[in-house]
Each structure stands twice: as structure tokens, then as C-alpha cells.
Amino acid sequence: ILYPLAPPLEVTATSRHYVDRLFHPDPQKVLQGVIDMKNAVIGNNKQKANLIVLGAVPRLLYLLQQGLSSSELRTECAVVLECVVVLGSLAMGTENNIKSLVDCHIIPALLQGLVCPDLIFIEACLRCLRTVFISPVTPVQLLYTDPTVIPHLMSLLSRSPRTQDYITQIFSHCCKSPEHQTVLFNHGAIQNIAPMLISLSYKVRMQALKCFSVLAYENTQVSMTLVNVLVDGDLLSQVFVRMLQRDLPIEMQLTAAKCLTYMCRAGAIRTDDRCIVLKTLPCLVRMCSKERLLDERVEGAETLAYLMEPDVELQRIASVTDHLVAMLADYFKYPSSVSAITDIKRLDHDLKHAHELRQAAFKLYASLGSNDEDIRKKVQICRSAPEQAVNPLFPGRH
């Protein structure tokens, strides 16, 4: 099925030439054609769409699958590798392009490629699978259709830093329900991913951390298991705490705080534990400061609200930490004025973030004041100022 693409495509002779070369009887010329096609589609969405319309994807998938069963293994593996690289580039296109790739059964073809012993080819397949699954239009259930896929992916984790990076990203993006969490948990996700938290590669550590945050969210079984896991002699919670240090990237601090928050809410860590009171909560409060990026402030506020929602003592501690209540008033002051906005795209971006900031602030206000009357009074005083904030689109209105 080919989905309509807009604006209408202007298929060129060059595009046809790329596709025609895929059918040449000489494997070397096919290989060179695929390499030239890869170079042509990088950064060129029109060329990507043209090649999809002209039927390049089914032929590339045919070559990919044939390469695995060919007697001329090295030659065909090289052809398949280049095909997968091209598919990885194509998959960065529009949502309609992704739908076309999925409808051509790209996912089963790539999963089949993972049984090949060639590590470079496996990494290329995983890279493309990662890119396809990251798209919101890809049905994540496709990862769970074949019960042999998840255990095989687990077995590939230790092959290289790249396989670790790509597979944990796939797991993070495809874990959307308690059932998905259970499948990954039952196939040893915790034991296989935990050692990655001390990898020499920052990307691998970060993706492992993100995967644990998805696995632990509102999941008591996972959280109770995580709290007892040892990584190089240290409890996993201690590893997460070390990742909260101020000199580490904000992305890592925030994701580690989310892991500890989810473990705490699941009952695996007490709310009065030092790692929550002295480490996690202060870290999340820092994320709410105006020095942080807008996305970080939103995520920090929402995570903090979730952490302290059921606990009065955490609410009291947060209310007097780094002037948090007053700090939230700044969430209502963005964007400050329309004069700094030079185009409609920037305006749309700023208004979207303004809405997200306000929403996050209201969640945190609600969590802060849910049990303590003194905190509620403090919140009401601080909210009175932002309610008079100027509307950036209509300065005369509030």
C-alpha cells in the first residue's frame, strides 16, 4: 500500500535510474547502485518519496532477504548491508513514508536479518529497526508478535555497544503497557541491561537508564526487583543516585531521578529514605529553575509532583526547598512578550511550551497543596501574581 504524499511528486529520470540498477544481474553493479542511492537520499526527502513510489523498497527487502540465503555469502552480505543502510535513511522521512515501509513488511525482514552471524549487518538491521520503531505511526505490537524476537534481542545485547544502544532504544519506545513491561521483565531485561549502566559509552548508559525508567513506571514487580540488583558491587539505587550529581548531563540527572521516583512510588524505596529526601527531591527541584530548558522544567515539575503526591512530609520538604513555590510563578511568565517573536512558527512553538509549563505548574501546585493548609496558603499567595501575567498575543488582556 502506498500512501498519498504531498505535495505531488515529480518523479525524475534519475530516480528511475537508481531503481533500475537494483535489478541488474551483476551483483557488483547492484551494490554500487545501492551505494549511489544511499548518497542520493541523505537529506533529500523528495528523493526518498520518489524511490518509495517507484517500488525501491520491495526490491531492497528482496535483496536483503536473499542475501541471507545466498551461497555467495560475503558478496550478498555486503549488498544486504548497503540495502539496510539505505532503508535506514529512507525511514527518516515523513510519516507516510514510514507507513509505506511498514506496509512493505520491513519489520519482519529486518528481524530476520538479526539471525545472521555478521555483526556489522546485525547492527545495520538494529539501527533501521530503531528508526522505524521510534516513529509514532509504527505499531509497537509488531515487536511482540513473534515470541522468539524479544529473547533473541536480549541475546544480542552483549555483542557490541551499538547493539546495546539500538536494542535499549527499541525496548524503551515499544514498552507502552504493563503487558509489555511483563514480557521484557520475564525475558531478563533487568539482568541484561543493568551492567550497561557502568558502560564506558555515555550513550549506552543513557539508553539503559531510559529503559529502566520505562520498565519501572507504575510497576511494583519491576521496582521491587530493581532495588535488590547489584551492579559491580553497588545496589542499583546507589548507581542511580550517583547519576544525580550536578556535574553530569541534565538528561542523565533527570532520568535517574525518574527511576528513583518510580521505584519510590511503587513502594520499593521508602519516602523517608535519604536517597529520596536528600538526593532525588532536591534534584527535581533544581530541574524547575528558570536556568533549565523548557522541556526540562516541564519534566522536572511533573516528576516532582508525581513523587510527592501521596506523602505529606515530602510536600512540606519540597515547599521550603530552593523557594520552589515562588519558582513556579515563572512558569506563567512564558513567553514574556510578543515583541520578541519574529515569525509564526516561533510563536506557535512558544505558545505550545507556555501551555505545557502552565499545565506542569498546576500539577505541582496541586500536589504541593493537597494535604497541608499552610502550603496551600503559600501557593495561593504565589499564584496571585502569575494570574495577572500579560497575555503575549493580546497585551491588553490577562
Side-chain angles (χ1 to χ4, degrees):
I1 299 173
L2 294 176
Y3 290 82
L5 296 161
L9 291 173
E10 186 180 312
V11 177
T12 64
T14 304
S15 299
R16 293 186 188 280
H17 177 62
Y18 287 132
V19 177
D20 289 344
R21 292 169 70 187
L22 297 179
F23 293 86
H24 200 285
D26 184 347
Q28 289 299 324
K29 291 188 176 180
V30 173
L31 173 60
Q32 187 57 50
V34 173
I35 294 172
D36 292 343
M37 183 183 288
K38 175 191 70 175
N39 294 332
V41 301
I42 292 174
N44 189 332
N45 287 331
K46 181 179 177 181
Q47 191 69 270
K48 295 173 192 176
N50 277 342
L51 294 173
I52 290 175
V53 169
L54 288 169
V57 172
R59 180 59 180 175
L60 291 172
L61 289 173
Y62 172 81
L63 292 171
L64 184 149
Q65 292 168 297
Q66 283 298 106
L68 297 175
S69 57
S70 170
S71 58
E72 299 177 357
L73 185 59
R74 292 181 61 186
T75 303
E76 289 305 319
C77 276
V79 173
V80 174
L81 173 61
E82 296 301 332
C83 288
V84 174
V85 171
V86 171
L87 291 174
S89 297
L90 287 172
M92 296 300 292
T94 65
E95 289 187 356
N96 283 338
N97 289 358
I98 300 271
K99 288 178 181 177
S100 295
L101 295 176
V102 172
D103 287 337
C104 285
H105 307 291
I106 185 175
I107 292 175
L110 291 169
L111 289 173
Q112 178 185 321
L114 299 181
V115 301
C116 174
D118 187 324
L119 178 58
I120 296 175
F121 176 58
I122 288 173
E123 291 174 349
C125 288
L126 288 172
R127 181 171 62 247
C128 189
L129 281 167
R130 181 274 316 267
T131 304
V132 172
F133 274 120
I134 281 176
S135 169
V137 303
T138 303
V140 299
Q141 196 57 37
L142 291 174
L143 185 68
Y144 302 94
T145 304
D146 182 344
T148 66
V149 168
I150 299 298
H152 186 60
L153 288 173
M154 293 293 178
S155 72
L156 294 175
L157 273 171
S158 60
R159 292 291 299 273
S160 74
R162 286 193 179 93
T163 64
Q164 293 175 332
D165 180 12
Y166 301 145
I167 291 172
T168 47
Q169 285 190 65
I170 291 170
F171 287 163
S172 295
H173 284 279
C174 294
C175 188
K176 304 291 187 184
S177 70
E179 291 75 23
H180 296 160
Q181 290 174 321
T182 299
V183 170
L184 294 173
F185 175 82
N186 288 343
H187 285 98
I190 293 176
Q191 301 93 310
N192 284 290
I193 296 173
M196 294 164 52
L197 290 170
I198 55 173
S199 167
L200 295 177
S201 165
Y202 170 77
K203 287 177 65 177
V204 170
R205 295 198 305 275
M206 194 62 239
Q207 294 306 328
L209 194 58
K210 288 180 179 179
C211 199
F212 278 133
S213 73
V214 172
L215 287 169
Y217 180 65
E218 295 188 342
N219 192 304
T220 301
Q221 182 184 34
V222 171
S223 295
M224 288 296 188
T225 303
L226 287 176
V227 80
N228 294 313
V229 170
L230 289 175
V231 180
D232 199 29
D234 292 327
L235 287 172
L236 197 59
S237 58
Q238 295 172 330
V239 177
F240 290 154
V241 167
R242 286 202 298 270
M243 291 178 169
L244 301 176
Q245 294 174 12
R246 293 171 183 256
D247 59 338
L248 292 175
I250 296 299
E251 176 189 35
M252 178 168 281
Q253 294 182 50
L254 189 48
T255 310
K258 288 171 72 174
C259 289
L260 290 163
T261 293
Y262 299 156
M263 291 168 68
C264 179
R265 283 298 306 266
I269 302 176
R270 291 169 54 95
T271 57
D272 60 355
D273 192 292
R274 290 172 59 87
C275 76
I276 296 297
V277 177
L278 301 181
K279 299 294 184 178
T280 307
L281 187 147
C283 174
L284 290 172
V285 172
R286 289 200 308 273
M287 298 300 132
C288 297
S289 72
K290 60 184 179 182
E291 284 74 31
R292 300 269 55 85
L293 297 175
L294 298 176
D295 290 345
E296 294 164 356
R297 293 169 71 186
V298 170
E299 199 170 353
E302 290 181 342
T303 306
L304 180 56
Y306 182 68
L307 171 65
M308 64 186 181
E309 185 179 16
D311 192 87
V312 181
E313 190 56 32
L314 285 180
Q315 293 162 11
R316 289 172 179 161
I317 294 170
S319 69
V320 296
T321 301
D322 291 345
H323 308 287
L324 173 65
V325 177
M327 191 189 301
L328 288 178
D330 287 329
Y331 278 52
F332 295 87
K333 298 176 182 177
Y334 182 87
S336 56
S337 86
V338 76
S339 61
I341 300 172
T342 57
D343 59 67
I344 193 66
K345 286 186 178 179
R346 170 70 188 278
L347 175 61
D348 181 64
H349 172 272
D350 285 3
L351 291 178
K352 175 177 177 289
H353 279 294
H355 173 72
E356 291 175 348
L357 283 168
R358 286 173 171 79
Q359 204 169 41
F362 281 129
K363 286 180 183 177
L364 192 43
Y365 276 143
S367 185
L368 274 170
S370 59
N371 295 293
D372 189 288
E373 184 61 31
D374 291 337
I375 299 176
R376 274 197 289 269
K377 290 178 181 177
K378 190 185 298 186
V379 167
Q380 288 171 353
I381 292 172
C382 288
R383 279 181 58 185
S384 62
E387 285 173 358
Q388 299 302 317
V390 174
N391 186 314
L393 285 179
F394 306 100
R397 303 181 191 176
H398 295 293

